[in-house]
Amino acid sequence: MSEPRDVIVAIDEGTSNAKAVAIDGQGKVIAQSSRPLQVQTPQAGWVEQRGEVLIDASLTVLREVIANVGAERIAALAISNQRETAMGWYQSSGEPIGPAITWQCSRSAAFCEQLRSDNQEQKIREVTGLPIAPLFSASKMRWLLDSLPDGYRQAEAGEICLGTVDAWLLWNLTGGRAFRCDTSNAARTQLLNLHSGDWDSEMLELFGIPRAALPEICPSSGLFGTTYHLDGIPDGIPILAMVGDSHAALYGHGLGEAGGVKATYGTGSSVMAPIAQPESSITQLATTVAWHDGQRVVYGLEGNIPHTGDAVAWMAQITGLTDGKGETLARALNELPASVESTLGVYFVPALTGAGAPWWDGQARGAISGLSRGVDRAHLIRAALESIAYQIADVIDAMRLHPDFHLASLMVDGGPTRNPWLMQFQADLLGCEVLRSNTPELSALGAGLLARRALDNLDDAQLLALLPQHDVFTPNAERHALLQREWQGWKTAVARTLTTSRPPFSGE
């Protein structure tokens, strides 16, 4: 008897790795493959990748997983992707017009500052739900067009495609036959009208982006296209979901249940809470589309942090820990901070390409403060890990201003969450349970669940039965009280790095 066609393969194209994960009909991961990705920093504050490399790595891991599982079992594909990264390519050839400008890149900071000087912030926020920041895609797309002698004319004529990574992957998977993006990725461009769900004419004019260059916006769950003309990958496999990786992780944790706040720890971090309506007056945070499941839109309140895992990697490098690899390095990052009782007053503010939420200062730069003669590598590594927890707590502090917000638990995923010391510190700092997914590939799983919804027409109750379990970290009340004082010191350290005269954010 032949195997059933029940497997969904989710491509999870991140900043540091391209992965493919095969998920069976019971929601279990049965095969996976990964390839590391590099970033380039040609100038201070500039961060980019090669679009061709993103595609080659994604197709390589997809082929390996399909070969492992067997092509006859593959029912559909799903895509989870790094967000805000902007790509441009020629419609006729599919060749990139420039680099993939990543979400971390601040090369468009001057343009963003000009928008702010022109008093455009309130209008942009009202329409898109997003603050002015070089994080988002529109200013990066503007830069790509400006880098060409006649970029705007070509884009207006439909000769150039502009898109986020989901659109770039879909274009290549379908042999250039499908030019679409999902609503969660569109919501991160600063060009989507949150209320209409379509590209906004006023924003297109403001950023100088022709509508003809942009993809069609679709729900996150549904048919986007089918594979075509790819070596080692059968034609005709439907792509049934596309969604930003942080949104996919929130979906994979609990389908967006109220009170469940999600933090994805990766190169940077996203903290997201589901909300019912797109209106929000909290200027420190973004209001976004979490996903469109094909029937309803779920919105999200979100704070984006550029440097979390990346900050620890940087600190490990400059303190010589990169001599260790894999499990050796992971063990050191857990044991070193636990080997000292504190950082001896050291704070590391990793604003390496600017400060994200809730500060939004693209010109801020990182700083290590509080150094004394007794500080050694363990204290510095501990300060780097603490900076992750402090930044996530800062965002949650801002979320408390929303009338619909309450924190029942913090659901976490991503590579750094494998560090039990960090997870306990986060629980003690926030004073709530931290629920760590025991499935490390949660973004891929969330995208796979959205594809499963479309494939088998499942409802929420049926999908909830497929969700993975969590490991629980319970806060210590005494430590919680102590860390509130340490947190105030962190906020003072952050204030020293900012180029604006804002007081330390208190969430009040």
Side-chain angles (χ1 to χ4, degrees):
M1 180 177 288
S2 63
E3 293 277 3
R5 190 177 291 273
D6 65 338
V7 173
I8 291 173
V9 180
I11 300 170
D12 184 14
E13 200 295 298
T15 310
S16 303
N17 295 278
K19 306 172 187 175
V21 178
I23 306 161
D24 70 12
Q26 286 71 52
K28 305 299 183 184
V29 173
I30 59 173
Q32 55 188 305
S33 179
S34 177
R35 286 291 186 280
L37 296 169
Q38 303 297 319
V39 298
Q40 292 79 47
T41 54
Q43 297 184 34
W46 289 32
V47 187
E48 62 189 45
Q49 294 179 298
R50 292 186 58 214
E52 304 95 324
V53 171
L54 301 184
I55 289 298
D56 289 346
S58 297
L59 292 180
T60 296
V61 295
L62 179 59
R63 289 188 194 99
E64 289 177 354
V65 167
I66 289 176
N68 187 328
V69 174
E72 68 280 358
R73 289 193 65 187
I74 309 303
L77 302 183
I79 293 172
S80 163
N81 60 278
Q82 58 169 301
R83 306 174 307 158
E84 294 101 17
T85 296
M87 275 293 302
W89 62 96
Y90 292 105
Q91 194 276 338
S92 59
S93 66
E95 293 296 317
I97 64 173
I101 305 178
T102 77
W103 53 275
Q104 289 179 304
C105 187
S106 60
R107 73 184 65 191
S108 59
F111 176 75
C112 291
E113 284 303 316
Q114 185 59 54
L115 290 176
R116 190 173 287 111
S117 298
D118 293 341
N119 297 315
Q120 297 294 335
E121 178 118 41
Q122 183 176 353
K123 170 56 70 175
I124 291 173
R125 181 179 287 281
E126 287 174 353
V127 173
T128 72
L130 306 176
I132 293 176
L135 167 71
F136 304 111
S137 312
S139 63
K140 304 177 193 297
M141 293 176 179
R142 165 73 175 254
W143 189 95
L144 284 168
L145 293 184
D146 286 347
S147 71
L148 300 175
D150 59 347
Y152 186 87
R153 182 203 63 78
Q154 291 183 77
E156 193 174 34
E159 298 169 8
I160 286 176
C161 299
L162 296 171
T164 43
V165 170
D166 61 326
W168 173 238
L169 290 174
L170 180 69
W171 176 275
N172 284 274
L173 285 169
T174 63
R177 298 186 302 170
F179 184 35
R180 299 185 175 103
C181 69
D182 99 288
T183 187
S184 74
N185 279 288
R188 309 304 297 173
T189 62
Q190 225 155 35
L191 299 173
L192 180 82
N193 187 307
L194 273 188
H195 307 277
S196 71
D198 197 3
W199 304 121
D200 185 82
S201 298
E202 191 172 2
M203 293 299 106
L204 296 178
E205 182 176 356
L206 186 63
F207 284 93
I209 307 297
R211 183 183 289 262
L214 294 172
E216 175 190 357
I217 302 169
C218 299
S220 311
S221 178
L223 180 62
F224 286 87
T226 58
T227 55
Y228 179 71
H229 204 54
L230 300 167
D231 291 339
I233 299 171
D235 287 353
I237 302 175
I239 297 102
L240 293 183
M242 299 203 305
V243 62
D245 51 10
S246 293
H247 311 246
L250 179 60
Y251 196 79
H253 272 296
L255 308 187
E257 291 183 341
V261 181
K262 183 271 326 176
T264 295
Y265 299 63
T267 304
S269 289
S270 156
V271 186
M272 188 182 296
I275 56 175
Q277 299 298 326
E279 288 81 16
S280 176
S281 60
I282 304 175
T283 58
Q284 296 92 344
L285 301 176
T287 306
T288 192
V289 174
W291 56 76
H292 188 324
D293 67 10
Q295 295 180 333
R296 67 188 180 107
V297 178
V298 173
Y299 297 94
L301 192 63
E302 184 180 20
N304 303 101
I305 306 165
H307 299 284
T308 49
D310 181 52
V312 176
W314 181 86
M315 187 65 80
Q317 179 182 5
I318 68 166
T319 57
L321 268 186
T322 48
D323 293 340
K325 303 293 183 184
E327 289 300 318
T328 302
L329 177 58
R331 186 166 56 253
L333 291 176
N334 183 57
E335 293 175 352
L336 278 172
S339 70
V340 292
E341 292 185 359
S342 71
T343 65
L344 291 183
V346 171
Y347 292 99
F348 172 38
V349 182
L352 304 179
T353 59
W359 312 100
W360 295 115
D361 187 343
Q363 301 304 315
R365 288 297 177 265
I368 302 173
S369 63
L371 290 170
S372 62
R373 186 63 185 84
V375 171
D376 62 18
R377 179 164 67 181
H379 299 100
L380 292 172
I381 293 296
R382 178 168 176 144
L385 285 161
E386 285 187 1
S387 77
I388 297 179
Y390 285 134
Q391 290 180 95
I392 286 171
D394 285 342
V395 172
I396 291 174
D397 210 19
M399 286 179 170
R400 296 183 193 277
L401 298 174
H402 195 284
D404 295 338
F405 176 83
H406 71 280
L407 177 65
S409 61
L410 179 67
M411 303 179 296
V412 302
D413 62 275
T417 68
R418 297 297 103 189
N419 185 319
W421 182 90
L422 174 60
M423 293 298 93
Q424 189 60 53
F425 185 90
Q426 187 78 78
D428 293 341
L429 177 63
L430 290 173
C432 73
E433 285 188 340
V434 169
L435 307 180
R436 178 180 66 190
S437 171
N438 57 24
T439 299
E441 309 302 342
L442 198 63
S443 292
L445 180 61
L449 287 170
L450 283 165
R452 182 72 63 189
R453 176 185 284 276
L455 179 68
D456 296 330
N457 194 30
L458 301 184
D459 59 24
D460 283 356
Q462 293 168 305
L463 289 170
L464 282 169
L466 303 178
L467 295 182
Q469 299 299 307
H470 291 87
D471 302 320
V472 181
F473 293 84
T474 303
N476 178 287
E478 184 177 343
R479 287 274 298 153
H480 175 64
L482 173 65
L483 290 179
Q484 299 313 291
R485 295 192 292 273
E486 301 294 332
W487 191 8
Q488 292 305 313
W490 156 265
K491 293 175 182 178
T492 300
V494 170
R496 295 192 186 110
T497 73
L498 302 178
T499 60
T500 56
S501 57
R502 306 176 208 182
F505 179 71
S506 66
E508 298 177 354

